[in-house]
Amino acid sequence: MNSLRATGLAVAWGVAALWTVRTVERLRGMRRVPDLLQRPAGAPLAKLSVIVPARNEAGTVAAGLRSLLNSRHVDLEVIAVNDRSTDGTVAVMNGILGEPRGERVRYLVEQVECLREGWLGKPNAMARGAERATGEWLLFTDADVVFAPDALSRALTFLEATNADHLVVLPTVVAGSAGEAMMLPFLHVISVWGPRLWRVPDARSPRDAVGVGAFNLIRRTAYDAVGGWGVLRMEVVEDLLMGYVLKRAGFISQVAVGRDLVRVRWAQGAWGVVANLTKNLFAVFRFRLLWMAGGAIGTAVICLTPVVAVALGLSGARAWLWPGLLSAASLFALYWQYHRASYPGAVVAVLWIAGFPLATLLFLYAMMYSTLLTLLRGGVVWRGTFYPLKQLRAHAVPLR
């Protein structure tokens, strides 16, 4: 019994040490990530093409497209791609054709009637949009993303100053419900175990690469050099992997922030977040059972050990309280960082921490459900189309 207790305490202290190291690294590192709002806005010289794929998003696509068409100080081409929608998406897209816009703004609607063999829907739609694009820069975004009028000009001005080939602007994620307000900060907290965003421009850190579906801005020559979305044509998490593909090919990526420049509501409710994770999580682990099992066990140990340690400490086992509180202090610092970036002026970080155990359990559920559902179906169903697991595994980009 004593040896079991000693092992448990050793694990608790080890987890606390890991949280502390990663948290300090994140807090220091994020200070080096450029803030576009703190940089001078200019009038970039290059032409930008924005590709907006949409499938059955009649209720959200208009706001995003109009925000793009209201962009200032940029030579802009917006290509709205209707990806086999069965609702009123294409009618909304076509309705915007006649609306007023700036003299330097061109607006096109591209129709995707059928899916090319060996392609997922979204990579196929984005590739089709890129084929129509004439800009020196290509921005791939989602239909539900809303842009500030100066977002695009700030992004291009920054790229011209840094001479990078790829830019990710981290979106401001809007929480429209209590469930989202619990899950979204949790995802920010556990992202501390993912790519170090401040190391993305560093060629010596090949694994620190990232892409974001809301804002992947790529130099046209770099996009063509890596094979465009064709190299990721059967990838469920193609947006994330584009950053990895570009960096592996020797191109320079940058990550920037800028509160409210790019806004998106990623999911509706806690179960909406879980549903999105269900599609993505097994794919993140490259559809490998052992990798997913290791990830689930690691997540459970890292996230639940502090909860258990604090609970035991408060119940009288004082030796557990100190590693539990050390972990809790790290979690609070990460939640506070998210709070300052997303919701300044409202003290809510403490309330978010209270939801950490439940958010952990929902995340673990999403990991297991993503795996089991994919295995039972023999593939992934996304937006009404079935993609066989054998085909997804065969085309999965190896991470090395």
Side-chain angles (χ1 to χ4, degrees):
M1 191 66 179
N2 287 335
S3 62
L4 183 61
R5 179 175 177 273
T7 301
L9 278 172
V11 171
W13 277 111
V15 168
L18 288 173
W19 273 115
T20 302
V21 170
R22 281 287 186 161
T23 298
V24 171
E25 186 181 36
R26 164 67 71 87
L27 296 178
R28 295 178 62 186
M30 287 303 291
R31 296 176 184 172
R32 293 155 49 191
V33 175
D35 186 341
L36 297 186
L37 293 174
Q38 303 302 318
R39 290 175 168 261
L45 301 175
K47 182 178 181 179
L48 170 64
S49 296
V50 183
I51 293 92
V52 187
R55 176 172 169 80
N56 294 338
E57 297 191 67
T60 57
V61 69
L65 290 174
R66 289 193 178 104
S67 72
L68 287 167
L69 298 178
N70 288 330
S71 297
R72 296 194 299 254
H73 312 303
V74 62
D75 186 2
L76 180 63
E77 175 182 67
V78 178
I79 304 173
V81 184
N82 175 45
D83 180 21
R84 302 165 292 136
S85 296
T86 57
D87 65 353
T89 297
V90 67
V92 174
M93 289 179 170
N94 287 331
I96 295 175
L97 280 168
E99 295 182 2
R101 51 185 179 272
E103 293 180 0
R104 301 174 66 195
V105 178
R106 181 177 178 228
Y107 177 66
L108 306 171
V109 177
E110 173 74 6
Q111 291 276 19
V112 175
E113 302 291 350
C114 59
L115 187 61
R116 284 182 282 192
E117 181 68 27
W119 285 73
L120 265 72
K122 188 177 178 183
N124 177 65
M126 290 190 293
R128 287 284 298 273
E131 290 166 8
R132 294 285 304 274
T134 60
E136 300 165 58
W137 290 93
L138 305 177
L139 172 60
F140 299 94
T141 186
D142 293 328
D144 54 355
V145 178
V146 176
F147 296 82
D150 59 341
L152 302 183
S153 61
R154 285 183 180 276
L156 280 181
T157 300
F158 173 74
L159 282 172
E160 289 177 353
T162 58
N163 201 34
D165 304 293
H166 173 228
L167 173 64
V168 167
V169 176
L170 300 181
T172 301
V173 183
V174 179
S177 70
E180 294 162 62
M182 176 183 69
M183 291 300 298
L184 296 174
F186 170 82
L187 296 180
H188 166 82
V189 168
I190 63 169
S191 71
V192 75
W193 305 102
R196 297 166 295 180
L197 301 180
W198 56 96
R199 297 293 297 274
V200 166
D202 189 349
R204 296 168 299 179
S205 301
R207 290 187 178 273
D208 292 313
V210 71
V212 171
F215 201 102
N216 264 326
L217 179 54
I218 309 170
R219 193 187 299 271
R220 180 68 196 234
T221 53
Y223 172 84
D224 291 337
V226 299
W229 292 110
V231 73
L232 299 168
R233 62 188 179 275
M234 284 298 294
E235 285 288 353
V236 175
V237 287
E238 79 297 322
D239 51 353
L240 175 68
L241 290 172
M242 179 54 82
Y244 176 80
V245 167
L246 288 164
K247 190 167 184 178
R248 187 177 63 179
F251 293 104
I252 301 172
S253 291
Q254 287 278 358
V255 175
V257 297
R259 187 166 62 88
D260 289 333
L261 287 178
V262 183
R263 292 174 61 87
V264 62
R265 186 179 182 185
W266 190 60
Q268 295 191 14
W271 285 110
V273 176
V274 170
N276 282 351
L277 292 172
T278 298
K279 174 184 76 81
N280 293 334
L281 283 175
F282 198 23
V284 168
F285 289 92
R286 318 313 298 136
F287 300 105
R288 298 187 183 183
L289 275 173
L290 287 179
W291 287 20
M292 176 58 93
I297 293 170
T299 300
V301 171
I302 286 293
C303 293
L304 294 180
T305 297
V307 178
V308 172
V310 170
L312 290 174
L314 293 177
S315 66
R318 294 302 180 103
W320 290 84
L321 186 59
W322 301 113
L325 290 178
L326 182 59
S327 295
S330 296
L331 292 173
F332 178 83
L334 292 171
Y335 273 110
W336 184 255
Q337 182 188 58
Y338 182 85
H339 146 72
R340 287 178 61 87
S342 302
Y343 300 96
V347 182
V348 291
V350 174
L351 298 178
W352 285 340
I353 287 183
F356 181 79
L358 178 57
T360 299
L361 294 177
L362 287 174
F363 186 79
L364 289 170
Y365 167 81
M367 294 182 79
M368 292 183 288
Y369 188 59
S370 175
T371 304
L372 291 174
L373 191 63
T374 303
L375 293 175
L376 290 173
R377 285 174 168 172
V380 172
V381 176
W382 184 242
R383 303 210 172 197
T385 303
F386 174 77
Y387 305 102
L389 180 57
K390 183 177 180 180
Q391 198 172 10
L392 293 171
R393 280 175 167 163
H395 290 90
V397 173
L399 303 180
R400 55 181 182 270

